[in-house]
């Protein structure tokens, strides 16, 4: 894969320095990044922080502290918050220049890293697998008039109809690298698409409503295998402009984890009349 979401520039006092490509740009606005590349880059930092072969991430919570700019320099840094032989808490944050030009946090992640042990004899997943990739279909989202952005970095196939009651199901795989020249780890690939759960689970007309998630919390009980990630999600909306997306994550053999997101729901302002 020649395309990527980020280019690694180097290291300085603020952490690893990156520059985002056009493929990180969001669909709500071209000036801010989609949450999926941001969360995947934070997971990269969590996995690499004092890495141990005998542990892996079991839960990651990403908080988007505000719009993450799509242009300019970015920095990512991580640290061990709570060390331990069997249980560790690792944190990472992304920084971007603020109004004063100084780097400030724009996104944070925390991850529980647990020691691995062979429990193959009791492995079980109760959530049923979606229909296979071969039965999903392309909705041609890239042809909806967007400039080059996050959607152009995906093969996104749907098993359900848009806005159908009962939530949605999709199979997605990124066709870009996370960082130029690096192969994605299985969890980086998972987080490169997990943030799409909000859109998959929505029943709102995107021409009339915006629904921005402020976070994502993902529990992973099995590391996914292969390129395709399945997402089954449904969003519930309260009467006060706040919603919650709840979903399950899959590889082609079964469920691998679960996701929840908080959603800010707002009506789109009417377009000004043409003159």
């Amino acid at each position: 894969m020649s395309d990527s979401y980020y280019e690694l520039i180097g290291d300085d006092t603020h952490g690893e320095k990156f520059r985002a490509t056009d493929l990180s740009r969001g669909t709500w606005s071209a000036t801010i990044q989609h949450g999926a590349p941001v969360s995947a880059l934070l997971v990269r930092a969590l996995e690499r922080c004092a890495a141990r072969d005998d542990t892996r991430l079991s839960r990651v919570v990403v908080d988007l502290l505000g719009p993450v700019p799509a242009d300019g320099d970015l920095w990512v840094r991580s640290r061990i918050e709570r060390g331990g032989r069997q249980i560790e808490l690792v944190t990472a944050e992304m920084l971007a220049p603020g109004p004063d030009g100084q780097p400030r946090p724009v996104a944070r992640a925390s991850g529980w890293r647990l020691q691995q042990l062979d429990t193959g004899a009791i492995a079980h997943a109760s959530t049923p697998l979606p229909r296979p990739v071969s039965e999903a279909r392309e909705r041609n989202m890239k042809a909806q008039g967007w400039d080059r952005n996050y959607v152009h970095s995906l093969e996104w196939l749907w098993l359900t109809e848009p806005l159908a009651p009962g939530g949605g199901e999709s199979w997605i795989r990124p066709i870009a690298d996370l960082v130029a020249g690096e192969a994605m780890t299985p969890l980086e690939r998972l987080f490169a698409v997990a943030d799409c759960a909000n859109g998959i689970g929505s029943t709102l007309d995107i021409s009339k409503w915006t629904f921005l998630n402020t976070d994502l919390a993902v529990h992973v009980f099995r590391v996914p295998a292969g390129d395709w990630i399945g997402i089954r999600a449904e969003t519930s909306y309260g009467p006060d402009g706040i919603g919650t997306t709840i979903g399950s994550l899959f590889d082609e053999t079964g469920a691998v984890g679960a996701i929840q997101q908080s959603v800010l729901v707002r009506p789109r302002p009417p377009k000004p009349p043409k003159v």
Side-chain angles (χ1 to χ4, degrees):
M1 290 185 278
S2 57
D3 289 329
S4 66
Y5 296 114
Y6 300 99
E7 297 174 354
L8 177 60
I9 308 302
D11 290 281
D12 64 21
T13 56
H14 301 296
E16 284 190 296
K17 187 175 182 180
F18 296 90
R19 192 160 293 131
T21 73
D22 287 342
L23 293 178
S24 73
R25 297 183 187 275
T27 52
W28 297 118
S29 169
T31 64
I32 62 176
Q33 294 187 46
H34 194 281
V38 171
S39 58
L41 195 63
L42 289 169
V43 164
R44 175 184 179 274
L46 295 177
E47 287 193 299
R48 291 179 175 224
C49 183
R52 290 169 44 188
D53 292 339
D54 65 331
T55 66
R56 73 162 176 86
L57 291 167
S58 69
R59 187 229 63 183
V60 175
V61 174
V62 176
D63 288 304
L64 303 170
L65 305 179
V68 179
D71 298 291
D73 294 331
L74 301 164
W75 295 266
V76 176
R77 59 194 183 193
S78 59
R79 66 178 184 178
I80 299 288
E81 290 284 348
R82 185 266 197 201
R85 185 176 62 86
Q86 296 192 87
I87 301 172
E88 294 181 325
L89 180 63
V90 192
T91 59
E93 63 180 357
M94 177 181 286
L95 301 95
D100 60 358
Q102 295 301 307
R104 64 173 182 175
V106 291
R108 291 195 178 110
S110 65
W112 284 111
R113 235 170 29 187
L114 306 185
Q115 188 179 47
Q116 300 175 83
L117 178 72
D118 184 2
T119 53
I122 61 168
H124 172 69
S126 59
T127 306
L129 187 66
R131 300 195 315 277
V133 174
S134 60
E135 296 186 22
R137 63 184 182 84
E138 171 71 60
R139 277 178 47 193
N140 202 19
M141 297 173 66
K142 299 171 189 175
Q144 294 183 8
W146 285 315
D147 292 331
R148 185 172 165 85
N149 66 10
Y150 173 70
V151 168
H152 295 82
S153 75
L154 307 173
E155 287 188 51
W156 191 333
L157 305 178
W158 287 78
L159 290 167
T160 52
E161 292 297 323
L163 311 183
E169 293 183 355
S170 289
W171 287 103
I172 314 178
R173 65 176 172 183
I175 53 175
D177 293 328
L178 177 59
V179 177
E182 295 181 7
M184 273 200 239
T185 69
L187 290 184
E188 287 171 0
R189 184 177 297 106
L190 177 69
F191 278 84
V193 301
D195 189 75
C196 297
N198 173 27
I200 292 170
S202 175
T203 56
L204 297 179
D205 185 341
I206 197 172
S207 68
K208 299 178 181 178
W209 298 91
T210 63
F211 34 94
L212 296 142
N213 61 290
T214 58
D215 65 356
L216 63 157
V218 177
H219 288 79
V220 182
F221 63 83
R222 179 171 65 82
V223 175
D227 294 338
W228 288 98
I229 299 296
I231 301 177
R232 176 186 293 134
E234 186 167 6
T235 304
S236 299
Y237 305 103
D240 54 0
I242 298 171
T244 301
T245 296
I246 299 177
S248 298
L249 305 171
F250 305 85
D251 65 12
E252 291 189 83
T253 64
V256 300
I259 182 171
Q260 292 191 358
Q261 297 167 287
S262 297
V263 182
L264 180 74
V265 183
R266 292 294 183 267
R268 279 191 181 274
K271 291 183 178 181
K274 294 182 179 180
V275 294

